[in-house]
Amino acid sequence: MRSCLLACLMVSSFAVAGGSGGVRVLPPTPTRLPASAPVQPGQAWVLTGTTADGEQFQTVLKLSADAPELDGAWTFRADRGVLLYDSAAQSVVALDLKEVASGGLALACVRVGRLSAGAGEGVLVSGTAPQVAARLEEAFAVASATPNPADLAAAITELRLGRCTLTPQK
């Protein structure tokens, strides 16, 4: 599971940095998580989604109360996996890896854009841990390049990805 997590983190960092297609200068990231950040230790985030095959699910990731680690993005440990928050790239990735140990599916919800207090739609990757790691860059590309909901829906369908929503639990 650790190798899957590292692969997911590497792929997400690669995708957030702009892939291999050139250099993108991002503003400096603070060394401490700002109190105004939409993701904070101890929160719970509800991940609701529909896979490419039409399977619907809902899960809750309860973030640890420990301070997040900063390694390109803020890494919050959760009871079911991790949540990555990158303020510079305005992205959040929820990785639910809980079922992987028993042969179940890994889930990754990629959301790019301003995080508000409400729910935000994203792109879902589901499958085995290696399948999810292999498709994270593709999910970032779709989420980044298609802000229009109709275009996003068409791209998700064409690429056989799923849809997801991340909502902070109240």
Side-chain angles (χ1 to χ4, degrees), residues 53-107:
D53 295 327
E55 182 181 345
Q56 296 183 343
F57 67 89
Q58 181 174 13
T59 186
V60 178
L61 279 87
K62 295 176 183 165
L63 306 185
S64 166
D66 297 334
E69 298 173 22
L70 178 61
D71 185 21
W74 297 102
T75 302
F76 294 83
R77 303 253 179 252
D79 61 337
R80 299 187 61 87
V82 296
L83 190 133
L84 307 169
Y85 167 62
D86 187 332
S87 57
Q90 293 188 348
S91 68
V92 64
V93 178
L95 295 166
D96 185 335
L97 307 169
K98 181 76 172 183
E99 306 302 321
V100 170
S102 62
L105 296 179
L107 303 169

Side-chain angles (χ1 to χ4, degrees), residues 102-117:
S102 62
L105 296 179
L107 303 169
C109 180
V110 177
R111 178 157 174 243
V112 177
R114 185 166 127 54
L115 294 175
S116 62

